[in-house]
Amino acid sequence: MLRYLLYVLYVLIGISLGVWLMPLIFQILPWDVPLILDNVLVFGLSGLLLFLVFFSWTLPKVESLIRRSEGLILNRSLAEIVSATLGTLIGLLIAVLISLLINAMDIPIVRDIVPFIVAVILGYLGFQIGLKKFGEVLDFLPGNFSKSKEKEYRNHKKFLDTSAIIDGRIVDVAKTGFIEGVLVIPQFVLDELQLIADATDPIKRDKGQRGLDMLNALQKQNAAEVEIRDVEYDKLDVDHQLIEIAKAEKGAIITTDYNLNKVCQLHQIKVLNVNELSDAIKMAVIQGDRFSLLVSKTGKEENQGVGYLEDGTMVVVEDGKADINKTITVEVVSVLQTNSGRIVFAKRVRK
């Protein structure tokens, strides 16, 4: 539909330019123009032909620019669009007032050129201020409406990378409720998962199918909101497209890809790396570790002693009842992870 509208627009522009320019061109020609050519129909057709010859190559670029602009606008809330529009109108109003002052100077070149430049600059600045300072604009509004909208605005989106979906750990993280806001899966990420799932290589195919399964599990959980974003694109380049959409919407990217992590840091985009999260919450001790422990009390079972690590983790020491109020060396036998925390089972190291 957009392509047909652009065709009509190009035709109208070509005809209009022909009707306006061709009489001027005919007047400066050194010879007389035949009467059959000196009419509006010829002017319009000539202008249309010349315009299409010289500018038809711009049609795909204009269409692509409009579609990208449309995508950016549709990803904004109605309140943000209204704020940007008001900002533009205010900028243009200020430009009109400045133009009145410039016209009073009665300097031909300044009077004809400067007002246009001022209108473009102030209109653009008004649009950017209205869009990017939307949260601050809401501060001027009364009551809870301002607070709730500001909170919604500051609740940035998180864009999921293909690697994080295939990894699968993000599903468990989302179920815990630690992730706030909306988890967004752009269409190009879904398309890449589909390509991997359809690969002839069985290893890649298994990864792709696992990713689709993880995505289904992510949509079924109720702790975090999940959105499949329909994004139009010309060429599948997931990393580049993720960076562009995250930068445009000031969101964060969830990934396990080391290289994408580094590129995002260069672009000053917030990255939530699942591997870094895993390292941060990994167990402080594992089976076979030895450390000093103060046995502080008796355990529930016979002859058990109980001590605590610095982070508050309970350590149950086998046959440690006799060592209460003593600091001894223990060796980890096993670690039990529960919903309430970890419990470490250990035994005393005999010298």
Side-chain angles (χ1 to χ4, degrees), residues 242-262:
L242 265 178
I243 291 172
E244 290 297 320
I245 194 172
K247 186 185 297 183
E249 300 195 24
K250 296 182 179 179
I253 294 178
I254 299 178
T255 183
T256 60
D257 189 328
Y258 176 81
N259 293 326
L260 178 60
N261 192 345
K262 292 299 182 184

Side-chain angles (χ1 to χ4, degrees), residues 44-111:
L45 291 177
S46 301
L48 174 61
L49 180 61
L50 291 173
F51 185 79
L52 292 180
V53 167
F54 288 103
F55 296 101
S56 59
W57 62 273
T58 63
L59 185 63
K61 298 182 181 298
V62 172
E63 181 183 8
S64 176
L65 178 63
I66 293 175
R67 291 196 182 278
R68 285 201 299 269
S69 302
E70 179 186 9
L72 291 176
I73 292 174
L74 292 178
N75 290 335
R76 300 287 183 175
S77 66
L78 180 60
E80 289 176 299
I81 296 173
V82 172
S83 176
T85 304
L86 291 177
T88 305
L89 293 176
I90 292 173
L92 293 176
L93 178 61
I94 296 174
V96 170
L97 297 177
I98 295 175
S99 299
L100 293 177
L101 296 176
I102 294 175
N103 290 334
M105 299 172 61
D106 200 22
I107 302 176
I109 297 179
V110 175
R111 183 182 59 193

Side-chain angles (χ1 to χ4, degrees), residues 78-245:
L78 180 60
E80 289 176 299
I81 296 173
V82 172
S83 176
T85 304
L86 291 177
T88 305
L89 293 176
I90 292 173
L92 293 176
L93 178 61
I94 296 174
V96 170
L97 297 177
I98 295 175
S99 299
L100 293 177
L101 296 176
I102 294 175
N103 290 334
M105 299 172 61
D106 200 22
I107 302 176
I109 297 179
V110 175
R111 183 182 59 193
D112 295 336
I113 299 177
V114 174
F116 174 75
I117 298 175
V118 171
V120 171
I121 294 175
L122 292 181
Y124 174 77
L125 289 177
F127 175 84
Q128 291 293 336
I129 292 172
L131 184 64
K132 296 184 178 180
K133 298 296 183 180
F134 173 68
E136 297 178 18
V137 171
L138 290 177
D139 290 337
F140 294 99
L141 300 178
N144 294 329
F145 173 80
S146 172
K147 295 179 181 179
S148 62
K149 287 296 181 181
E150 181 179 4
K151 182 177 179 181
E152 178 183 352
Y153 175 76
R154 297 183 184 277
N155 194 10
H156 297 311
K157 299 179 178 65
K158 281 97 175 162
F159 297 92
L160 275 175
D161 177 34
T162 311
S163 61
I165 298 175
I166 294 176
D167 179 83
R169 287 175 291 179
I170 189 63
V171 178
D172 296 326
V173 175
K175 287 179 180 179
T176 62
F178 275 99
I179 298 180
E180 295 182 349
V182 182
L183 290 174
V184 181
I185 297 95
Q187 183 62 44
F188 48 79
V189 171
L190 189 59
D191 291 343
E192 186 180 48
L193 276 175
Q194 186 64 52
L195 284 175
I196 297 174
D198 293 336
T200 55
D201 188 337
I203 297 178
K204 285 187 175 181
R205 186 167 61 248
D206 290 343
K207 285 185 176 180
Q209 292 172 353
R210 170 181 167 78
L212 293 175
D213 291 339
M214 292 297 103
L215 191 56
N216 288 330
L218 194 61
Q219 286 184 297
K220 291 178 181 178
Q221 57 81 35
N222 298 319
E225 182 181 351
V226 179
E227 174 189 345
I228 304 294
R229 175 75 59 81
D230 187 15
V231 179
E232 294 186 1
Y233 59 91
D234 298 325
K235 184 180 178 181
L236 188 61
D237 186 359
V238 173
D239 289 356
H240 176 72
Q241 290 164 321
L242 265 178
I243 291 172
E244 290 297 320
I245 194 172

